[in-house]
Amino acid sequence: MKISHSRQKSYHDKRRKSLEFEKDDHVFLRVTPVTGVGRALKLLKLTPHFIGPYQITERLRRYIADPPHVVQLDDVEVRDNLTVETLSMRIEDREVKQLRGKEIALVKVNWGGPAGENVMWELKSKMKDSYPDLFA
């Protein structure tokens, strides 16, 4: 195991780039889009994973300027844990599942994007707490 681990580490170290930053450099922030109930949106291929560029005040990973990288987003709020909340668009379906004698109410939520691409089943109670306007 130690030999294999050492070999893999050497492969990784060969490809690693050491980057240094100065104050006022520009960088992108890597974010994980999450739904309102805290799940990461792993299924979205076109969801932006980086937002910015932002001017830094501390040392971070350097960004090499390239205009096609800039993604224009409207009013993005980045949380402290570097996640971005996406807003749900509509509830498409409702269902009650039976689990060990308990009834669990679920709703099928379309979180936006092209039709059918970003649809998930969520707990109705959590969605109702997070987005009461969808149930009015």
Side-chain angles (χ1 to χ4, degrees), residues 36-78:
V37 293
R39 285 191 186 163
L41 296 176
K42 303 274 186 198
L43 302 175
L44 296 179
K45 293 181 181 177
L46 299 178
T47 303
H49 296 286
F50 296 91
I51 59 172
Y54 291 99
Q55 189 171 10
I56 63 172
T57 58
E58 296 178 36
R59 245 173 119 158
L60 299 170
R61 185 180 292 180
R62 179 179 289 281
Y63 166 69
I64 299 169
D66 189 4
H69 289 168
V70 177
V71 177
Q72 298 297 328
L73 298 175
D74 298 328
D75 299 327
V76 176
E77 290 185 30
V78 180

Side-chain angles (χ1 to χ4, degrees), residues 79-94:
R79 297 178 183 160
D80 291 338
N81 61 358
L82 297 180
T83 60
V84 178
E85 181 176 349
T86 59
L87 299 176
S88 61
M89 298 301 287
R90 66 183 176 276
I91 294 177
E92 294 186 349
D93 197 6
R94 299 168 193 265

Side-chain angles (χ1 to χ4, degrees), residues 14-134:
K14 284 181 185 176
R15 296 187 58 157
R16 186 177 180 101
K17 298 176 185 175
S18 61
L19 299 174
E20 297 290 327
F21 295 103
E22 301 296 327
K23 186 176 176 182
D24 298 328
D25 284 346
H26 287 82
V27 296
F28 279 107
L29 290 179
R30 182 181 182 114
V31 294
T32 304
V34 295
T35 63
V37 293
R39 285 191 186 163
L41 296 176
K42 303 274 186 198
L43 302 175
L44 296 179
K45 293 181 181 177
L46 299 178
T47 303
H49 296 286
F50 296 91
I51 59 172
Y54 291 99
Q55 189 171 10
I56 63 172
T57 58
E58 296 178 36
R59 245 173 119 158
L60 299 170
R61 185 180 292 180
R62 179 179 289 281
Y63 166 69
I64 299 169
D66 189 4
H69 289 168
V70 177
V71 177
Q72 298 297 328
L73 298 175
D74 298 328
D75 299 327
V76 176
E77 290 185 30
V78 180
R79 297 178 183 160
D80 291 338
N81 61 358
L82 297 180
T83 60
V84 178
E85 181 176 349
T86 59
L87 299 176
S88 61
M89 298 301 287
R90 66 183 176 276
I91 294 177
E92 294 186 349
D93 197 6
R94 299 168 193 265
E95 187 175 291
V96 177
K97 292 274 188 180
Q98 295 289 333
L99 180 64
R100 297 182 184 169
K102 295 180 183 177
E103 292 184 351
I104 300 173
L106 300 171
V107 290
K108 189 175 186 180
V109 181
N110 185 335
W111 291 100
E117 184 177 306
N118 189 12
V119 178
M120 292 187 207
W121 286 97
E122 305 284 356
L123 290 174
K124 181 179 178 182
S125 59
K126 288 188 179 179
M127 288 300 296
K128 202 168 196 176
D129 291 342
S130 300
Y131 301 98
D133 56 320
L134 291 176

